Each structure stands twice: as structure tokens, then as C-alpha cells.
Amino acid sequence: MRRALFAATALLSLATTGHAALAAANTPEAPYVDDRSSADAVVHSLYSAINRHEFARAWGYYGDTKPAKDFDTFVKGYDGTDKVEVKTGPISDEGAAGSIYYNVPVAIQAIDKKGEAKVFAGCYTLRQVNAQIQAPPFQPIFIDKGVLKPSTADFDEALPPSCGDGPPPPKKDTALEQAKKAFLATYGDQCDKDRLANEPEVFSIKYKDRNAQPNDPDKETRLFHFSCSAAAYNESSVYYMTDEVDGVRQLQFAEPETDIRYENNDSDGKLLSVTVIGFRTTGWAVNSDYDQDAHTITTFNKWRGVGDASDAGTYLFRNGDFSLVQYDVDASYDGEENPQTIVDYNTAP
């Protein structure tokens, strides 16, 4: 068993000049994760320790059966490794002799100092000894063994579907994954970091288009709502849509351009007029909400915190897309909410 464990560790070794180089000053520090509340959390904690070059902590996630003959050999196994990315899959478990054993599918991508990546995949077995029968010191969930082998698959595809009697993996939502990738690629540097980690809201819109015959099946469009950032009184979001014709695309919102006139050019004074002088589009939706019954996305952009000056749009889903049907502007900073409708396609001419 020790030989197999050492082989799994050695697979991560992308040899260069020595583990002292791992502490290069220009390498961003990886997040500190030390979570033993579940089997997959322990695996992620292991690689957090490895990425931070905290090898004593990494060594400590193993039980009596260690991944190498001694600690120095364990550390040397990561010579030349710059960082390791990890994914875990559906966990199976079984009880035996006062313990629970967990089987965790694992895929990793090890990146060396030259930026070259290698992918490995396999299974980790972790053990939780019944806490009621333990004597001090208490031992939380620990890694019992782990065997990873080189994989020719891309990192995104390398994760084993299951280990042991584990449950089958959930069916992959390709459209959702594409929307996530597009969102992160476009807005990953612009959005609040805590919101980037959140799952989007997902809606299914079934409809018949204008040319549908009575017996034609419904079409489906899916809507993905990503929250991006929150300021003092406005929250910005981005929406993606997907259908069988156009695939995944970002939703754009039409907005009127306006010419706003105040008495004496003083915005705190009397509002004289609001005139539509054109239209533009934006990918941002401020303080937005999707109404599943009305099939509308509404936006409400406060110009200041009290909300007495603002603009608001209503976008109706029809024939496979969202169209602007109403736009209201409250341009008077008078302490009251008194918007005027400047675009109205709800009312017949």
C-alpha cells in the first residue's frame, strides 16, 4: 500500500531544481483552506496546503499510512510543482468496524514552473473513526489512501464518474457550464469576488413562436441570471440566454438616450423636459428581477440612495427574446418618486 501511495504522490513531481524554489516571492499565495467536515473538504484542504507549500499540514491529513516513506521524501515529491488545481466528484461511503470509509473521485492538474500542465485522475479513500469510541487525541476524517494516474483527458473532462459504489454523476448541464465560462471570462475581473463564487439563478421559458402551428411542440429558452456587484444602493447583474438555434449568448438591454433639461441648468431645480434622442444597448441590468409569470425582466437604477431620481425598464419575453416595452425616468431630485414613462410599447397607438 505504501508503494502505491508513494507512486500517487510521485506522479505530481514535475522535477526542476529543488523545493526551495517553491517559495518564490513572485508567486501569489494560495487561499488557506483547512476543513475536515467532509471527505471532499479534506481533499481540497490537502491541495490548499500543497499549493501554499505547507507540507507538514499536508502530511497531517493522512492517517498512519503515509504517502511516502518519510516526510523529506514527501516534500521532494513536489519539487518543481508550481501549483495544483483539484476537482472532486460524487462521494460513496460504507461502514466497517467502527469506521466510515469514503471514496472520492479526484482529478488534478499539476502545473510546473514553466507553466506546463499535466492531468491526473483517480480515487482517494478517507476514513472517519467513530468519534464515540476514540480516546484523546481526537482524530478527524483523514486520508487512508489515494491513487492517481496520468490522464490524457482535459482537466475539465478527467474527473472519474464515481469510485466504488458511488452514485452516478449528475447529468452535465452543458449550457449552464458555457454560460459560467462566458461570464467568468468577460466579467471575472470586474465583479465582486464573493459573488463570482455564487451559482446563477436558472429559469426555463417555454413558448410557441409566432409561426408555430397548433400541434407544434413548445420551444425552450433558458435564462441565467448572474449577480456581479453591489454598491451602496445598486446591484448589477448580467444575464445569459440559450436556445437550440443561437446557443449561449449574453442578453443585451435596450435603453433610451435622453436629453434632460432643468431650469437654469440646475438639476436640483425645476425639471423642464425629458426627451428621447436615441437608443443604445447595455449588458448590465441594475437592481433587476425576472418575473416567471409575466415573463419580464425589470430594472431599477437609482441615481441616488433615496431613490427619488431613477430610471427603470421593463423587458418582455416574446418570440424567443426580450424586448423593451416600457421605460420610466424620474429625473427630478425632489425627494419624491414621480417617474414619467418615456417609452411605452404596452399601449396600442
Side-chain angles (χ1 to χ4, degrees), residues 19 24 52 130 149 182 227 229 263 287 290 301 307:
H19 68 266
R52 292 170 61 89
N130 188 337
K149 297 180 179 180
S227 178
S229 60
E263 191 172 66
N287 296 329
Y290 173 63
N301 178 29

CSV table of all heavy atoms in Angstrom, one decimal, residues 19 24 52 130 149 182 227 229 263 287 290 301 307:
chain,number,residue,atom,x,y,z
A,19,HIS,N,13.0,22.1,-3.9
A,19,HIS,CA,11.8,22.6,-3.3
A,19,HIS,C,12.0,24.0,-2.7
A,19,HIS,O,11.0,24.7,-2.4
A,19,HIS,CB,11.2,21.6,-2.3
A,19,HIS,CG,12.1,21.5,-1.0
A,19,HIS,ND1,13.0,20.5,-0.8
A,19,HIS,CD2,12.1,22.3,0.1
A,19,HIS,CE1,13.6,20.7,0.4
A,19,HIS,NE2,13.0,21.7,1.0
A,24,ALA,N,9.0,31.0,-4.2
A,24,ALA,CA,9.3,32.2,-4.9
A,24,ALA,C,8.5,33.3,-4.5
A,24,ALA,O,7.3,33.2,-4.4
A,24,ALA,CB,9.2,31.9,-6.4
A,52,ARG,N,0.2,26.1,-0.9
A,52,ARG,CA,0.9,27.0,0.0
A,52,ARG,C,2.2,26.6,0.5
A,52,ARG,O,2.9,27.2,1.3
A,52,ARG,CB,-0.1,27.3,1.2
A,52,ARG,CG,-1.3,28.1,0.8
A,52,ARG,CD,-2.3,28.1,2.0
A,52,ARG,NE,-1.7,28.8,3.1
A,52,ARG,CZ,-1.8,30.1,3.3
A,52,ARG,NH1,-2.5,30.9,2.4
A,52,ARG,NH2,-1.3,30.7,4.4
A,130,ASN,N,-15.3,6.3,14.4
A,130,ASN,CA,-16.4,6.7,15.2
A,130,ASN,C,-15.9,7.5,16.4
A,130,ASN,O,-15.1,7.1,17.2
A,130,ASN,CB,-17.1,5.5,15.7
A,130,ASN,CG,-18.4,5.8,16.5
A,130,ASN,OD1,-18.6,6.9,16.9
A,130,ASN,ND2,-19.3,4.8,16.5
A,149,LYS,N,-3.5,8.5,-11.5
A,149,LYS,CA,-2.8,8.1,-12.7
A,149,LYS,C,-2.8,9.1,-13.7
A,149,LYS,O,-3.8,9.9,-13.8
A,149,LYS,CB,-3.3,6.7,-13.2
A,149,LYS,CG,-3.2,5.6,-12.3
A,149,LYS,CD,-3.7,4.3,-12.9
A,149,LYS,CE,-3.6,3.1,-11.9
A,149,LYS,NZ,-4.1,1.8,-12.5
A,182,ALA,N,-18.4,31.9,-20.0
A,182,ALA,CA,-18.5,33.2,-20.6
A,182,ALA,C,-18.6,34.3,-19.6
A,182,ALA,O,-17.9,35.4,-19.8
A,182,ALA,CB,-19.8,33.2,-21.5
A,227,SER,N,-25.4,37.5,-10.6
A,227,SER,CA,-25.2,38.7,-9.8
A,227,SER,C,-23.7,39.0,-9.8
A,227,SER,O,-22.8,38.2,-9.6
A,227,SER,CB,-25.6,38.5,-8.3
A,227,SER,OG,-25.4,39.6,-7.6
A,229,SER,N,-22.1,42.6,-8.9
A,229,SER,CA,-21.5,43.5,-7.9
A,229,SER,C,-22.7,44.3,-7.2
A,229,SER,O,-23.8,44.4,-7.7
A,229,SER,CB,-20.6,44.5,-8.6
A,229,SER,OG,-21.3,45.3,-9.5
A,263,GLU,N,-34.4,73.9,-15.2
A,263,GLU,CA,-34.5,75.3,-15.1
A,263,GLU,C,-33.1,75.8,-14.6
A,263,GLU,O,-32.6,75.3,-13.6
A,263,GLU,CB,-35.6,75.8,-14.2
A,263,GLU,CG,-35.9,77.3,-14.3
A,263,GLU,CD,-37.1,77.7,-13.5
A,263,GLU,OE1,-37.1,77.5,-12.2
A,263,GLU,OE2,-38.1,78.1,-14.1
A,287,ASN,N,-30.4,46.4,-10.3
A,287,ASN,CA,-31.5,46.1,-9.4
A,287,ASN,C,-32.6,45.3,-10.2
A,287,ASN,O,-33.7,45.7,-10.2
A,287,ASN,CB,-32.0,47.3,-8.8
A,287,ASN,CG,-31.0,48.0,-7.9
A,287,ASN,OD1,-30.2,47.4,-7.3
A,287,ASN,ND2,-31.1,49.3,-7.8
A,290,TYR,N,-36.4,38.9,-12.5
A,290,TYR,CA,-37.2,38.2,-13.6
A,290,TYR,C,-38.5,37.7,-13.0
A,290,TYR,O,-38.5,36.9,-12.0
A,290,TYR,CB,-36.4,37.1,-14.2
A,290,TYR,CG,-37.2,36.2,-15.1
A,290,TYR,CD1,-37.7,36.8,-16.3
A,290,TYR,CD2,-37.5,34.9,-14.9
A,290,TYR,CE1,-38.4,36.0,-17.2
A,290,TYR,CE2,-38.2,34.1,-15.8
A,290,TYR,CZ,-38.7,34.7,-16.9
A,290,TYR,OH,-39.5,34.0,-17.8
A,301,ASN,N,-32.7,51.6,-11.7
A,301,ASN,CA,-31.4,52.2,-11.4
A,301,ASN,C,-31.6,53.5,-10.6
A,301,ASN,O,-32.1,54.5,-11.2
A,301,ASN,CB,-30.7,52.5,-12.8
A,301,ASN,CG,-29.4,53.1,-12.6
A,301,ASN,OD1,-28.7,52.9,-11.5
A,301,ASN,ND2,-29.0,53.9,-13.5
A,307,GLY,N,-33.6,57.2,-3.9
A,307,GLY,CA,-34.4,56.7,-5.0
A,307,GLY,C,-35.4,57.6,-5.6
A,307,GLY,O,-36.3,57.2,-6.3
